[in-house]
Coordinates of all heavy atoms in Angstrom, one line a residue:
M1 N 45.4 154.8 75.4 CA 43.9 154.4 75.3 C 43.6 153.5 76.5 O 44.1 153.2 76.8 CB 43.7 153.8 74.0 CG 42.6 153.0 73.8 SD 41.0 153.6 74.0 CE 41.1 155.4 74.1
P2 N 43.4 153.2 77.4 CA 42.1 152.5 77.7 C 41.0 153.5 78.1 O 41.3 154.4 78.8 CB 42.5 151.5 78.7 CG 43.9 151.5 78.9 CD 44.5 152.8 78.2
N3 N 39.8 153.1 77.7 CA 38.6 153.8 78.3 C 38.1 152.8 79.3 O 37.7 151.6 79.1 CB 37.5 153.9 77.2 CG 37.7 155.2 76.4 OD1 38.4 156.1 76.9 ND2 37.4 155.2 75.1
I4 N 38.1 153.3 80.7 CA 37.6 152.4 81.7 C 36.4 152.9 82.3 O 36.2 154.2 82.6 CB 38.8 152.5 82.7 CG1 40.1 152.0 82.1 CG2 38.4 151.6 84.0 CD1 41.3 152.5 82.8
T5 N 35.5 152.1 82.5 CA 34.2 152.4 83.2 C 34.0 151.6 84.4 O 34.2 150.3 84.3 CB 32.9 152.1 82.2 OG1 33.3 152.9 80.9 CG2 31.7 152.6 82.7
V6 N 33.7 152.2 85.5 CA 33.5 151.5 86.7 C 31.9 151.8 87.1 O 31.6 152.9 87.4 CB 34.3 152.0 87.9 CG1 34.0 151.3 89.2 CG2 35.8 152.0 87.5
V25 N 44.1 150.9 88.6 CA 43.7 150.2 87.3 C 44.5 150.7 86.2 O 45.1 150.1 85.3 CB 42.2 150.5 87.0 CG1 41.8 150.0 85.6 CG2 41.4 149.7 88.0
H26 N 44.9 152.1 86.2 CA 45.7 152.7 85.1 C 47.1 152.1 85.2 O 47.6 151.7 84.2 CB 45.9 154.2 85.3 CG 44.6 155.0 85.1 ND1 44.6 156.3 85.3 CD2 43.4 154.6 84.9 CE1 43.4 156.9 85.0 NE2 42.6 155.7 84.8
C29 N 47.0 148.6 83.6 CA 47.0 148.7 82.2 C 48.4 148.9 81.6 O 48.8 148.4 80.7 CB 46.0 149.9 81.7 SG 44.3 149.5 82.0
V33 N 49.2 145.6 79.6 CA 48.9 145.8 78.2 C 49.6 147.0 77.5 O 49.3 147.4 76.4 CB 47.4 145.8 77.9 CG1 46.8 144.5 78.2 CG2 46.7 147.0 78.6
A35 N 49.8 150.1 78.0 CA 49.1 151.3 77.8 C 50.1 152.5 78.3 O 50.9 152.2 79.2 CB 47.9 151.4 78.5
R36 N 49.8 153.7 77.9 CA 50.4 154.9 78.5 C 49.5 155.4 79.6 O 48.3 155.6 79.4 CB 50.7 156.0 77.4 CG 51.7 155.6 76.4 CD 51.9 156.6 75.4 NE 50.7 157.1 74.8 CZ 50.1 158.3 75.0 NH1 50.6 159.1 75.8 NH2 49.0 158.6 74.4
T37 N 50.1 155.8 80.7 CA 49.3 156.4 81.8 C 48.5 157.5 81.4 O 47.2 157.6 81.7 CB 50.2 156.8 83.0 OG1 50.9 155.6 83.4 CG2 49.3 157.3 84.2
A38 N 49.0 158.5 80.6 CA 48.3 159.6 80.2 C 47.2 159.4 79.3 O 46.3 160.1 79.1 CB 49.3 160.6 79.4
A39 N 47.1 158.2 78.6 CA 46.1 157.8 77.8 C 44.9 157.1 78.5 O 43.8 156.9 78.0 CB 46.6 156.8 76.7
C40 N 45.1 156.7 79.7 CA 44.0 156.1 80.6 C 43.0 157.0 81.0 O 43.3 158.1 81.4 CB 44.6 155.4 81.7 SG 45.8 154.0 81.4
K41 N 41.7 156.7 80.9 CA 40.6 157.5 81.1 C 39.6 156.6 81.9 O 39.2 155.6 81.4 CB 39.9 158.1 80.0 CG 40.8 159.0 79.1 CD 40.2 159.5 77.9 CE 40.6 158.9 76.5 NZ 41.6 158.1 76.4
T42 N 39.1 157.1 83.2 CA 38.3 156.3 83.9 C 37.0 157.2 84.3 O 37.2 158.3 84.7 CB 39.0 155.8 85.2 OG1 40.0 154.8 84.8 CG2 37.9 155.1 86.1
R43 N 35.9 156.6 84.2 CA 34.7 157.2 84.7 C 33.9 156.3 85.6 O 34.0 155.0 85.4 CB 33.8 157.7 83.5 CG 33.2 156.6 82.8 CD 32.2 157.1 81.7 NE 31.7 155.9 80.9 CZ 31.7 155.9 79.6 NH1 32.2 156.9 78.9 NH2 31.3 154.8 79.0
F44 N 33.2 156.9 86.6 CA 32.5 156.1 87.6 C 31.1 156.4 87.3 O 30.6 157.5 87.1 CB 33.0 156.5 89.0 CG 34.3 156.1 89.3 CD1 35.4 156.8 88.9 CD2 34.5 154.8 90.1 CE1 36.7 156.4 89.3 CE2 35.8 154.5 90.4 CZ 36.9 155.3 89.9
R45 N 30.3 155.3 87.4 CA 28.7 155.5 87.1 C 28.1 154.8 88.3 O 28.3 153.5 88.5 CB 28.4 154.9 85.8 CG 28.9 155.6 84.6 CD 28.3 155.1 83.3 NE 28.4 153.7 83.0 CZ 28.3 153.1 82.0 NH1 27.9 153.8 80.9 NH2 28.4 151.8 81.8
H63 N 31.3 146.5 88.6 CA 31.8 145.9 87.3 C 32.6 147.0 86.7 O 32.2 148.1 86.4 CB 30.5 145.6 86.4 CG 30.9 145.0 85.0 ND1 31.4 143.7 84.9 CD2 31.0 145.7 83.9 CE1 31.8 143.6 83.6 NE2 31.5 144.8 83.0
I64 N 33.8 146.5 86.3 CA 34.8 147.4 85.6 C 34.9 146.8 84.2 O 35.2 145.7 84.0 CB 36.1 147.4 86.3 CG1 36.0 147.9 87.7 CG2 37.2 148.2 85.5 CD1 37.2 147.9 88.5
E65 N 34.7 147.8 83.2 CA 34.9 147.5 81.8 C 36.1 148.2 81.4 O 36.2 149.4 81.5 CB 33.7 147.8 81.0 CG 33.9 147.6 79.5 CD 32.8 148.1 78.7 OE1 31.7 147.4 78.8 OE2 32.9 149.1 78.0
I66 N 37.0 147.6 80.7 CA 38.2 148.2 80.2 C 38.2 148.0 78.6 O 38.3 146.8 78.2 CB 39.6 147.6 80.8 CG1 39.5 147.8 82.3 CG2 40.7 148.3 80.2 CD1 40.6 147.1 83.0
A67 N 38.1 149.1 77.9 CA 38.0 149.0 76.4 C 39.4 149.5 75.9 O 39.8 150.5 76.2 CB 36.9 149.8 75.9
L68 N 40.0 148.6 75.1 CA 41.3 148.8 74.5 C 41.2 148.9 73.0 O 40.4 148.3 72.4 CB 42.2 147.7 74.9 CG 42.4 147.3 76.4 CD1 43.2 146.1 76.5 CD2 43.2 148.5 77.1
L69 N 42.2 149.6 72.4 CA 42.5 149.4 71.0 C 42.8 148.0 70.8 O 43.5 147.3 71.5 CB 43.5 150.3 70.5 CG 43.3 151.9 70.5 CD1 44.5 152.7 70.2 CD2 42.1 152.3 69.7
R72 N 45.7 143.4 71.4 CA 46.3 142.7 72.5 C 45.8 141.3 72.4 O 44.7 140.9 72.0 CB 45.8 143.2 73.8 CG 46.5 144.4 74.4 CD 46.5 145.6 73.5 NE 47.2 146.8 74.3 CZ 46.8 147.9 74.0 NH1 45.8 148.3 73.2 NH2 47.4 149.0 74.6
L80 N 45.2 141.1 82.5 CA 44.7 142.4 83.0 C 43.5 142.2 83.8 O 43.3 142.8 84.9 CB 44.4 143.3 81.8 CG 43.9 144.7 82.1 CD1 44.8 145.5 83.2 CD2 43.7 145.6 80.9
V102 N 35.2 142.0 86.1 CA 36.0 142.8 85.3 C 35.9 142.3 83.9 O 36.0 141.0 83.8 CB 37.5 142.8 85.7 CG1 38.3 143.7 84.9 CG2 37.5 143.3 87.2
E103 N 35.8 143.1 82.9 CA 35.8 142.7 81.5 C 36.8 143.4 80.7 O 36.8 144.8 80.9 CB 34.4 142.9 80.9 CG 34.2 142.7 79.5 CD 32.8 143.0 78.9 OE1 32.0 143.7 79.7 OE2 32.6 142.8 77.8
V104 N 37.5 142.9 79.8 CA 38.3 143.7 78.8 C 37.9 143.3 77.5 O 37.6 142.2 77.1 CB 39.8 143.4 79.0 CG1 40.7 143.9 78.0 CG2 40.4 143.7 80.5
R105 N 37.7 144.4 76.8 CA 37.1 144.2 75.3 C 37.9 145.1 74.5 O 38.5 146.1 74.9 CB 35.6 144.4 75.2 CG 35.3 145.9 75.5 CD 33.9 146.1 75.2 NE 33.5 147.5 75.3 CZ 33.6 148.4 74.5 NH1 34.1 148.1 73.2 NH2 33.2 149.7 74.7
D106 N 37.8 144.7 73.2 CA 38.3 145.7 72.1 C 37.4 146.7 71.7 O 36.2 146.4 71.6 CB 38.8 144.8 70.9 CG 39.9 143.9 71.0 OD1 40.8 144.1 72.1 OD2 40.0 142.9 70.3
L107 N 37.9 147.9 71.5 CA 37.1 149.0 70.9 C 36.8 148.6 69.4 O 37.6 147.9 68.8 CB 37.8 150.2 71.0 CG 37.9 150.9 72.3 CD1 39.1 151.9 72.3 CD2 36.6 151.4 72.7
E108 N 35.7 149.1 68.9 CA 35.3 148.9 67.5 C 36.3 149.6 66.6 O 37.0 150.7 67.0 CB 34.0 149.5 67.2 CG 32.9 148.7 68.0 CD 32.8 147.3 67.5 OE1 32.9 147.1 66.2 OE2 32.5 146.5 68.3
Y111 N 36.3 153.5 66.2 CA 36.6 154.3 67.4 C 37.7 155.4 67.0 O 38.7 155.1 66.5 CB 37.1 153.5 68.6 CG 37.6 154.4 69.6 CD1 36.6 155.0 70.6 CD2 38.9 154.7 69.9 CE1 37.0 155.8 71.6 CE2 39.3 155.6 70.9 CZ 38.4 156.1 71.8 OH 38.8 156.8 72.8
K112 N 37.4 156.6 67.4 CA 38.3 157.7 67.3 C 38.2 158.6 68.6 O 37.1 158.5 69.2 CB 38.0 158.6 66.1 CG 38.0 157.8 64.8 CD 39.4 157.6 64.3 CE 39.4 156.9 63.0 NZ 39.8 155.6 62.9
S113 N 39.2 159.3 68.8 CA 39.2 160.2 70.0 C 39.9 161.4 69.7 O 40.7 161.5 68.7 CB 39.8 159.6 71.3 OG 41.3 159.4 71.2
A114 N 39.7 162.5 70.4 CA 40.2 163.8 70.1 C 40.2 164.6 71.5 O 39.4 164.3 72.3 CB 39.5 164.6 69.1

Side-chain angles (χ1 to χ4, degrees):
M1 160 56 20
N3 280 331
I4 303 154
T5 304
V6 180
V25 173
H26 294 183
C29 290
V33 294
R36 292 179 308 107
T37 302
C40 296
K41 299 175 254 350
T42 296
R43 68 176 178 231
F44 291 83
R45 297 187 303 196
H63 176 73
I64 299 178
E65 177 185 287
I66 303 170
L68 303 170
L69 292 173
R72 274 59 175 218
L80 180 56
V102 179
E103 172 188 10
V104 174
R105 67 173 184 83
D106 290 340
L107 289 162
E108 294 296 321
Y111 171 83
K112 300 288 184 246
S113 69

